Amino acid sequence: MVNNLDKLEINLEENISNYTKVLNDLLDNISSLSSSKINDILWKLRADLELLIIELKFALEKENKTERWQSSFKEELKGTSSKQKAITMLGSYRKSNQEIQTIFKKKPEQNFRYFWELKETISSILSAFPEQKIKWSNGEMKKISEDVFEI
């Protein structure tokens, strides 16, 4: 019989696998995607990671308080609006699904930290992938859609 903690662990494994795949797929295809599409993917991934972190906290029986390493990470984290720097920052989180699953089984606390840092990093680089481009013309800001072009 599968108890609730076993179900939670199975659910966590599936989610970890899915989110790792989303990140790796994004990194594999990032040069061919529009900024607005990247923005959409990152917002969704960030929201999913927020829920995953809550589930990991519950599974690890962690208190709902900020730990010293989290404060230090946030203080040292430098966001960017440079697309190339943002891609490099995201790329530093690339891990294979097998590697992430191994960490989850052997060192779940390290897994929690990895996903928490990834979520914070995504938050800090979202401005590098604007939903819409903005152009300054005749003293006014104008939004430019990447899907529309002139012939």
Side-chain angles (χ1 to χ4, degrees), residues 14 17 20 27 63 97 104 127 131 136 144 146 148 150:
E14 289 174 9
S17 179
T20 302
L27 291 169
E63 291 183 35
N97 194 21
F104 176 67
S127 63
E131 192 170 4
W136 191 263
I144 303 169
E146 293 182 69
V148 179
E150 293 180 26

Side-chain angles (χ1 to χ4, degrees), residues 82-145:
S82 162
K83 189 173 184 176
Q84 201 52 48
K85 285 182 183 177
I87 292 170
T88 301
M89 289 172 73
L90 272 179
S92 70
Y93 288 93
R94 184 188 289 272
K95 292 191 183 309
S96 71
N97 194 21
Q98 184 177 355
E99 184 179 4
I100 291 293
Q101 291 296 335
T102 300
I103 293 169
F104 176 67
K105 290 180 190 315
K106 293 183 179 180
K107 300 176 183 176
E109 183 75 32
Q110 184 179 346
N111 207 265
F112 169 78
R113 186 173 180 155
Y114 167 81
F115 284 111
W116 185 88
E117 288 180 0
L118 174 58
K119 175 191 66 84
E120 293 300 320
T121 300
I122 288 171
S123 296
S124 75
I125 64 167
L126 276 169
S127 63
F129 307 101
E131 192 170 4
Q132 295 181 342
K133 289 190 175 188
I134 298 174
K135 176 174 108 175
W136 191 263
S137 175
N138 298 328
E140 295 181 358
M141 286 192 325
K142 295 182 180 180
K143 293 181 181 179
I144 303 169
S145 172

Side-chain angles (χ1 to χ4, degrees), residues 25-58:
D25 287 348
L26 173 63
L27 291 169
D28 290 343
N29 300 305
I30 202 160
S31 61
S32 64
L33 298 172
S34 68
S35 284
S36 60
K37 181 65 176 168
I38 295 168
N39 183 286
D40 290 345
I41 293 168
L42 288 175
W43 268 108
K44 171 100 173 77
L45 180 58
R46 191 200 172 287
D48 290 340
L49 291 175
E50 192 72 54
L51 294 174
L52 176 67
I53 289 164
I54 291 168
E55 290 175 334
L56 285 169
K57 269 186 175 181
F58 178 77

